[in-house]
Amino acid sequence: FASYKINEIEQVIDSKNIVSYEMVARKGKREFELEFLSNGKLLKKEEKKKENKEAIGFPNLSPFKKEHLILTT
C-alpha cells in the first residue's frame, strides 16, 4: 500500500491490551479498510465498495434493494 493515500487512522486497544491501528487506504477508485498490529503485521484487509448514489430513487436501475431505501413523505 506504499502508493495509497492513508486517511482516518485510529488506534484500537482491545480487552487484552493489544494495540492495533485501523485506517482507510485510497488509490484512485480503490479503497481498503486495513488493520495492523503495532509490529506492522496485517490483521485485516477489506476492499470497500463504492455505491452509485445517483441510482437511488430509480428501482429498475438501482443497485440497492427496496428494503434498503428509506422513503419519507
Side-chain angles (χ1 to χ4, degrees), residues 23-25 31-35 42 44-48:
M23 63 199 73
V24 176
E31 185 172 291
F32 291 89
E33 285 185 10
L34 306 170
E35 183 176 1
L42 180 64
K44 179 179 95 172
K45 178 178 93 172
E46 183 177 313
E47 186 165 8
K48 292 175 72 175

PDB file of all heavy atoms in Angstrom, residues 23-25 31-35 42 44-48:
ATOM      1  N   MET A  23      -7.263   1.865   9.566  1.00  0.00           N
ATOM      2  CA  MET A  23      -7.143   3.002   8.652  1.00  0.00           C
ATOM      3  C   MET A  23      -7.827   2.708   7.342  1.00  0.00           C
ATOM      4  O   MET A  23      -8.183   1.569   7.048  1.00  0.00           O
ATOM      5  CB  MET A  23      -5.674   3.331   8.416  1.00  0.00           C
ATOM      6  CG  MET A  23      -4.888   2.226   7.756  1.00  0.00           C
ATOM      7  SD  MET A  23      -3.121   2.362   7.965  1.00  0.00           S
ATOM      8  CE  MET A  23      -2.920   1.927   9.672  1.00  0.00           C
ATOM      9  N   VAL A  24      -8.008   3.756   6.557  1.00  0.00           N
ATOM     10  CA  VAL A  24      -8.566   3.643   5.223  1.00  0.00           C
ATOM     11  C   VAL A  24      -7.465   4.061   4.245  1.00  0.00           C
ATOM     12  O   VAL A  24      -6.847   5.104   4.416  1.00  0.00           O
ATOM     13  CB  VAL A  24      -9.809   4.550   5.054  1.00  0.00           C
ATOM     14  CG1 VAL A  24     -10.319   4.510   3.630  1.00  0.00           C
ATOM     15  CG2 VAL A  24     -10.907   4.117   6.022  1.00  0.00           C
ATOM     16  N   ALA A  25      -7.209   3.213   3.237  1.00  0.00           N
ATOM     17  CA  ALA A  25      -6.203   3.492   2.210  1.00  0.00           C
ATOM     18  C   ALA A  25      -6.910   3.661   0.871  1.00  0.00           C
ATOM     19  O   ALA A  25      -7.726   2.820   0.489  1.00  0.00           O
ATOM     20  CB  ALA A  25      -5.188   2.358   2.143  1.00  0.00           C
ATOM     21  N   GLU A  31     -10.473   1.490  -2.586  1.00  0.00           N
ATOM     22  CA  GLU A  31     -10.435   1.898  -1.182  1.00  0.00           C
ATOM     23  C   GLU A  31     -10.456   0.646  -0.319  1.00  0.00           C
ATOM     24  O   GLU A  31     -11.263  -0.259  -0.540  1.00  0.00           O
ATOM     25  CB  GLU A  31     -11.640   2.781  -0.894  1.00  0.00           C
ATOM     26  CG  GLU A  31     -11.652   3.353   0.492  1.00  0.00           C
ATOM     27  CD  GLU A  31     -12.761   4.371   0.652  1.00  0.00           C
ATOM     28  OE1 GLU A  31     -12.670   5.451   0.054  1.00  0.00           O
ATOM     29  OE2 GLU A  31     -13.723   4.067   1.369  1.00  0.00           O
ATOM     30  N   PHE A  32      -9.546   0.583   0.656  1.00  0.00           N
ATOM     31  CA  PHE A  32      -9.441  -0.562   1.547  1.00  0.00           C
ATOM     32  C   PHE A  32      -9.506  -0.112   2.995  1.00  0.00           C
ATOM     33  O   PHE A  32      -8.964   0.936   3.357  1.00  0.00           O
ATOM     34  CB  PHE A  32      -8.100  -1.285   1.357  1.00  0.00           C
ATOM     35  CG  PHE A  32      -7.968  -1.995   0.049  1.00  0.00           C
ATOM     36  CD1 PHE A  32      -7.463  -1.346  -1.065  1.00  0.00           C
ATOM     37  CD2 PHE A  32      -8.345  -3.321  -0.068  1.00  0.00           C
ATOM     38  CE1 PHE A  32      -7.343  -1.999  -2.273  1.00  0.00           C
ATOM     39  CE2 PHE A  32      -8.226  -3.985  -1.274  1.00  0.00           C
ATOM     40  CZ  PHE A  32      -7.717  -3.322  -2.378  1.00  0.00           C
ATOM     41  N   GLU A  33     -10.160  -0.929   3.834  1.00  0.00           N
ATOM     42  CA  GLU A  33     -10.070  -0.772   5.282  1.00  0.00           C
ATOM     43  C   GLU A  33      -8.986  -1.734   5.731  1.00  0.00           C
ATOM     44  O   GLU A  33      -9.022  -2.924   5.406  1.00  0.00           O
ATOM     45  CB  GLU A  33     -11.396  -1.141   5.950  1.00  0.00           C
ATOM     46  CG  GLU A  33     -12.458  -0.103   5.771  1.00  0.00           C
ATOM     47  CD  GLU A  33     -13.728  -0.430   6.553  1.00  0.00           C
ATOM     48  OE1 GLU A  33     -13.728  -1.366   7.378  1.00  0.00           O
ATOM     49  OE2 GLU A  33     -14.716   0.265   6.325  1.00  0.00           O
ATOM     50  N   LEU A  34      -8.003  -1.224   6.482  1.00  0.00           N
ATOM     51  CA  LEU A  34      -6.866  -2.019   6.922  1.00  0.00           C
ATOM     52  C   LEU A  34      -6.758  -1.987   8.431  1.00  0.00           C
ATOM     53  O   LEU A  34      -7.124  -1.002   9.069  1.00  0.00           O
ATOM     54  CB  LEU A  34      -5.569  -1.459   6.330  1.00  0.00           C
ATOM     55  CG  LEU A  34      -5.525  -1.282   4.822  1.00  0.00           C
ATOM     56  CD1 LEU A  34      -4.289  -0.495   4.431  1.00  0.00           C
ATOM     57  CD2 LEU A  34      -5.551  -2.625   4.127  1.00  0.00           C
ATOM     58  N   GLU A  35      -6.225  -3.071   8.988  1.00  0.00           N
ATOM     59  CA  GLU A  35      -5.920  -3.101  10.418  1.00  0.00           C
ATOM     60  C   GLU A  35      -4.559  -3.766  10.589  1.00  0.00           C
ATOM     61  O   GLU A  35      -4.323  -4.857  10.069  1.00  0.00           O
ATOM     62  CB  GLU A  35      -6.982  -3.858  11.205  1.00  0.00           C
ATOM     63  CG  GLU A  35      -6.733  -3.835  12.699  1.00  0.00           C
ATOM     64  CD  GLU A  35      -7.834  -4.493  13.512  1.00  0.00           C
ATOM     65  OE1 GLU A  35      -8.803  -4.988  12.927  1.00  0.00           O
ATOM     66  OE2 GLU A  35      -7.695  -4.510  14.748  1.00  0.00           O
ATOM     67  N   LEU A  42      -0.229  -7.301   9.258  1.00  0.00           N
ATOM     68  CA  LEU A  42      -1.563  -7.012   8.737  1.00  0.00           C
ATOM     69  C   LEU A  42      -2.577  -7.981   9.325  1.00  0.00           C
ATOM     70  O   LEU A  42      -2.434  -9.196   9.217  1.00  0.00           O
ATOM     71  CB  LEU A  42      -1.559  -7.119   7.210  1.00  0.00           C
ATOM     72  CG  LEU A  42      -2.883  -6.858   6.498  1.00  0.00           C
ATOM     73  CD1 LEU A  42      -3.342  -5.424   6.703  1.00  0.00           C
ATOM     74  CD2 LEU A  42      -2.754  -7.175   5.014  1.00  0.00           C
ATOM     75  N   LYS A  44      -6.218  -7.256   8.963  1.00  0.00           N
ATOM     76  CA  LYS A  44      -7.441  -7.206   8.152  1.00  0.00           C
ATOM     77  C   LYS A  44      -7.212  -6.341   6.931  1.00  0.00           C
ATOM     78  O   LYS A  44      -6.593  -5.284   7.008  1.00  0.00           O
ATOM     79  CB  LYS A  44      -8.583  -6.619   8.983  1.00  0.00           C
ATOM     80  CG  LYS A  44      -9.910  -6.503   8.233  1.00  0.00           C
ATOM     81  CD  LYS A  44     -10.993  -5.936   9.119  1.00  0.00           C
ATOM     82  CE  LYS A  44     -11.090  -4.445   8.917  1.00  0.00           C
ATOM     83  NZ  LYS A  44     -12.221  -3.816   9.578  1.00  0.00           N
ATOM     84  N   LYS A  45      -7.699  -6.830   5.781  1.00  0.00           N
ATOM     85  CA  LYS A  45      -7.684  -6.050   4.540  1.00  0.00           C
ATOM     86  C   LYS A  45      -9.025  -6.297   3.872  1.00  0.00           C
ATOM     87  O   LYS A  45      -9.332  -7.402   3.460  1.00  0.00           O
ATOM     88  CB  LYS A  45      -6.553  -6.499   3.625  1.00  0.00           C
ATOM     89  CG  LYS A  45      -6.532  -5.760   2.298  1.00  0.00           C
ATOM     90  CD  LYS A  45      -5.366  -6.191   1.437  1.00  0.00           C
ATOM     91  CE  LYS A  45      -5.798  -7.300   0.525  1.00  0.00           C
ATOM     92  NZ  LYS A  45      -4.795  -7.654  -0.478  1.00  0.00           N
ATOM     93  N   GLU A  46      -9.848  -5.259   3.804  1.00  0.00           N
ATOM     94  CA  GLU A  46     -11.192  -5.387   3.249  1.00  0.00           C
ATOM     95  C   GLU A  46     -11.429  -4.266   2.245  1.00  0.00           C
ATOM     96  O   GLU A  46     -11.342  -3.098   2.588  1.00  0.00           O
ATOM     97  CB  GLU A  46     -12.210  -5.315   4.382  1.00  0.00           C
ATOM     98  CG  GLU A  46     -13.632  -5.493   3.953  1.00  0.00           C
ATOM     99  CD  GLU A  46     -14.565  -5.472   5.152  1.00  0.00           C
ATOM    100  OE1 GLU A  46     -14.282  -6.146   6.154  1.00  0.00           O
ATOM    101  OE2 GLU A  46     -15.569  -4.755   5.076  1.00  0.00           O
ATOM    102  N   GLU A  47     -11.716  -4.649   0.996  1.00  0.00           N
ATOM    103  CA  GLU A  47     -11.983  -3.626  -0.014  1.00  0.00           C
ATOM    104  C   GLU A  47     -13.383  -3.093   0.187  1.00  0.00           C
ATOM    105  O   GLU A  47     -14.339  -3.854   0.334  1.00  0.00           O
ATOM    106  CB  GLU A  47     -11.830  -4.182  -1.426  1.00  0.00           C
ATOM    107  CG  GLU A  47     -11.950  -3.110  -2.477  1.00  0.00           C
ATOM    108  CD  GLU A  47     -11.460  -3.528  -3.851  1.00  0.00           C
ATOM    109  OE1 GLU A  47     -11.152  -4.710  -4.049  1.00  0.00           O
ATOM    110  OE2 GLU A  47     -11.389  -2.646  -4.713  1.00  0.00           O
ATOM    111  N   LYS A  48     -13.501  -1.777   0.200  1.00  0.00           N
ATOM    112  CA  LYS A  48     -14.805  -1.133   0.344  1.00  0.00           C
ATOM    113  C   LYS A  48     -15.361  -0.898  -1.039  1.00  0.00           C
ATOM    114  O   LYS A  48     -14.669  -0.428  -1.929  1.00  0.00           O
ATOM    115  CB  LYS A  48     -14.658   0.197   1.084  1.00  0.00           C
ATOM    116  CG  LYS A  48     -14.251   0.031   2.534  1.00  0.00           C
ATOM    117  CD  LYS A  48     -14.008   1.351   3.193  1.00  0.00           C
ATOM    118  CE  LYS A  48     -15.292   2.097   3.440  1.00  0.00           C
ATOM    119  NZ  LYS A  48     -15.085   3.346   4.194  1.00  0.00           N
TER     120      LYS A  48
END
